[in-house]
Amino acid sequence: MSNKLIYILLPLSLVFDVLTETVFEKGGTLAIIKASFYYSIIFYTFIQGFKRRDSVNLVFVIFLFYVAIQIPYAREPIESLKVSLKVLMSILMFPFGYYYINSFKKLQILNSSVIAMMMIYIFNYIISQYYGIGVSVYTNEKEFVVGNLSDNWNIITYILLVVPAILLTTKRKKVLFFLSLILIILLIISLKRIAILGVLVGYSIYIFKSKNVLKSSRIFVLLFLLFFAISPLISPILNKRIESRGDKLSGSVVSILENETRYLETIAVFSEIFSFESTIKVLFGGEAFYSRRNYGDVYFFRDRQIHIDYNLILNTIGVIGFLLYLNVFYYIYRKRNRIKRYIEKNTLFKKLDTIFLMLFFSQFITSFGGQMYVFTFRGIIFIYLGSILGIMYRSIYEEVKSKDLKITSNNFL
């Protein structure tokens, strides 16, 4: 696979996100071009993957097929198809990472592309702020705008979570640190709870797995001191945004939940499931990721798409679909566990495994905030998960082969 393709894969998606609505119409020609480009790569990857003895295609094909057969039976098949294509696009990038970014050199290219993403994101913020492009989601003013990325803060979350991977390959550590600091500041100002929590969970795993609490603590103390030093510059904006989010950030747990639509949607979805009024809908869903007017009090929720990923899955593809979705992650984690004995003996593998675990478990937290139909940040997750496993499996395969040992499916494939 071309190194240039690996390099542009993630930054190009971010560029598409920036241009959508601000330059081009949402859901228009640009969306079709984006979907065509990435699905061309996905289909090529799957065709080539079936020819490999270490194919990882099957579990993804089963999930894809399950979703696909539901689309024609949805109330609005076209809308169901659109959302399903968005959801599946990121998940189906795992085999690409596994097959084609399976060497340290390829990982270096992927890491460089994430640095490019950092610069694109910051540049977009500067331009948006200067020209007043977009609207602040909480105050509906212009004090903090990022163009069309106003609801894409998870991109920052997962850029920051792969920084340890970038540190393995880059010599520009000071530049990386500077860019990361800017993104951390933007994320904090955003006040997006799930996006911030994703970073905290990921780096808690990093500290726990690295077993070097002192070194990690020094980095966090340094970041805190730097943030404290610049706090006078950002405090007016931050205070204004905190005030605008008063009902979401203060008060008792009960009062916060009463003002949280995600909580109300969860009650609506689970009430329907446990009531078993329609066994077919509970088990199979039948709407393939399109949830508008498909849950709770239709008048109350109107045309609101379900936000929490788990609720969306249960409501639209049912309990069976939910189990198949979890099976994808079970397969990925089990594949990692098959080579655990090799990981424990290899210093580089240990570092890669820590990043793997950061991404793997953090995405479960992110799903409480939703947006499983956003490709860019979930593309980072699945491409890196696939790449990390691909690097380790290929390295182990070559080691075993060089020692003329018998390779069987019981070894690690």
Side-chain angles (χ1 to χ4, degrees):
M1 185 61 66
S2 168
N3 291 343
K4 291 181 180 179
L5 179 61
I6 294 172
Y7 183 81
I8 69 169
L9 203 63
L10 290 171
L12 184 62
S13 179
L14 181 56
V15 171
F16 276 123
D17 293 341
V18 170
L19 295 179
T20 302
E21 277 193 339
T22 55
V23 179
F24 297 93
E25 179 186 358
K26 185 176 182 180
T29 305
L30 195 65
I32 296 173
I33 294 172
K34 179 178 181 178
S36 299
F37 175 74
Y38 288 100
Y39 270 103
S40 295
I41 295 170
I42 289 168
F43 288 139
Y44 175 83
T45 301
F46 271 74
I47 291 170
Q48 296 300 314
F50 278 117
K51 300 176 183 178
R52 299 169 62 112
R53 70 183 306 274
D54 62 333
S55 176
V56 295
N57 288 0
L58 185 59
V59 68
F60 298 94
V61 170
I62 291 173
F63 186 62
L64 170 64
F65 180 75
Y66 177 82
V67 173
I69 60 176
Q70 293 204 26
I71 293 172
Y73 301 100
R75 288 173 295 110
E76 298 187 44
I78 299 300
E79 297 301 321
S80 178
L81 175 63
K82 287 179 181 179
V83 182
S84 296
L85 286 173
K86 291 177 182 179
V87 171
L88 292 169
M89 195 160 76
S90 57
I91 298 172
L92 299 178
M93 292 304 296
F94 176 89
F96 178 86
Y98 183 81
Y99 297 143
Y100 298 119
I101 313 179
N102 59 355
S103 69
F104 200 68
K105 182 179 179 181
K106 301 283 188 181
L107 179 64
Q108 185 175 14
I109 297 168
L110 181 65
N111 288 341
S112 297
S113 78
V114 176
I115 294 177
M117 290 182 75
M118 299 171 93
M119 292 188 286
I120 292 169
Y121 203 107
I122 293 169
F123 181 72
N124 172 73
Y125 166 70
I126 295 171
I127 295 297
S128 299
Q129 198 66 45
Y130 183 80
Y131 289 103
I133 302 172
V135 177
S136 176
V137 291
Y138 298 134
T139 64
N140 291 320
E141 297 179 12
K142 298 286 185 179
E143 86 287 346
F144 182 68
V145 292
V146 287
N148 193 43
L149 299 181
S150 58
D151 199 29
N152 283 302
W153 299 103
N154 287 320
I155 296 174
I156 293 183
T157 299
Y158 287 94
I159 286 176
L160 292 175
L161 288 184
V162 297
V163 165
I166 302 173
L167 286 170
L168 295 176
T169 61
T170 187
K171 295 179 181 179
R172 302 175 181 177
K173 290 181 171 57
K174 291 183 180 179
V175 174
L176 179 64
F177 183 82
F178 177 71
L179 295 174
S180 299
L181 179 61
I182 294 175
L183 291 179
I184 289 170
I185 293 169
L186 293 179
L187 185 61
I188 291 172
I189 296 175
S190 77
L191 296 180
K192 285 293 183 177
R193 296 162 295 175
I194 294 295
I196 294 171
L197 183 60
V199 175
L200 295 177
V201 169
Y203 277 96
S204 295
I205 294 170
Y206 178 81
I207 293 172
F208 175 78
K209 285 291 293 180
S210 63
K211 297 179 181 179
N212 196 337
V213 178
L214 182 60
K215 183 179 179 181
S216 301
S217 299
R218 287 174 182 172
I219 296 173
F220 286 110
V221 169
L222 179 59
L223 287 171
F224 176 78
L225 291 175
L226 287 171
F227 183 79
F228 182 77
I230 65 170
S231 60
L233 298 175
I234 65 173
S235 59
I237 297 174
L238 193 58
N239 290 336
K240 186 174 184 178
R241 293 177 64 76
I242 290 174
E243 288 175 6
S244 69
R245 294 216 72 187
D247 62 333
K248 301 285 187 179
L249 300 173
S250 62
S252 66
V253 174
V254 175
S255 65
I256 291 174
L257 289 177
E258 287 175 347
N259 288 288
E260 183 59 70
T261 315
R262 286 181 175 87
Y263 171 71
L264 299 176
E265 93 177 17
T266 301
I267 293 176
V269 171
F270 276 76
S271 295
E272 188 173 64
I273 290 172
F274 292 112
S275 69
F276 261 86
E277 291 180 4
S278 172
T279 304
I280 296 298
K281 182 178 179 180
V282 169
L283 292 178
F284 302 103
E287 294 295 333
F289 295 112
Y290 187 69
S291 64
R292 298 182 192 276
R293 300 181 301 281
N294 191 47
Y295 66 103
D297 186 329
V298 175
Y299 176 77
F300 177 78
F301 290 105
R302 299 184 184 88
D303 286 337
R304 182 181 180 275
Q305 178 82 348
I306 290 177
H307 281 46
I308 297 177
D309 291 344
Y310 307 116
N311 293 344
L312 178 65
I313 295 168
L314 285 168
N315 177 258
T316 61
I317 59 174
V319 174
I320 302 299
F322 184 74
L323 293 175
L324 290 175
Y325 177 75
L326 291 182
N327 186 52
V328 170
F329 291 97
Y330 171 72
Y331 170 82
I332 292 171
Y333 194 74
R334 186 181 62 179
K335 197 163 182 65
R336 172 257 180 190
N337 280 351
R338 284 179 176 175
I339 56 171
K340 194 172 181 180
R341 65 184 185 277
Y342 293 97
I343 293 172
E344 293 170 351
K345 299 175 183 178
N346 188 301
T347 303
L348 176 60
F349 283 7
K350 286 181 180 178
K351 293 178 179 178
L352 290 174
D353 184 56
T354 298
I355 299 159
F356 176 94
L357 294 173
M358 288 170 67
L359 294 172
F360 185 87
F361 287 108
S362 294
Q363 62 82 30
F364 286 115
I365 300 299
T366 300
S367 281
F368 283 103
Q371 295 191 330
M372 68 184 301
Y373 42 82
V374 177
F375 173 76
T376 305
F377 84 85
R378 282 174 65 84
I380 294 173
I381 297 169
F382 285 98
I383 290 173
Y384 266 92
L385 289 178
S387 175
I388 290 169
L389 287 182
I391 290 169
M392 292 194 290
Y393 268 80
R394 179 183 176 185
S395 178
I396 294 167
Y397 177 84
E398 291 176 350
E399 178 186 346
V400 173
K401 188 177 179 181
S402 67
K403 294 179 181 179
D404 294 324
L405 298 176
K406 186 177 180 182
I407 302 172
T408 68
S409 59
N410 292 327
N411 288 112
F412 56 87
L413 292 178

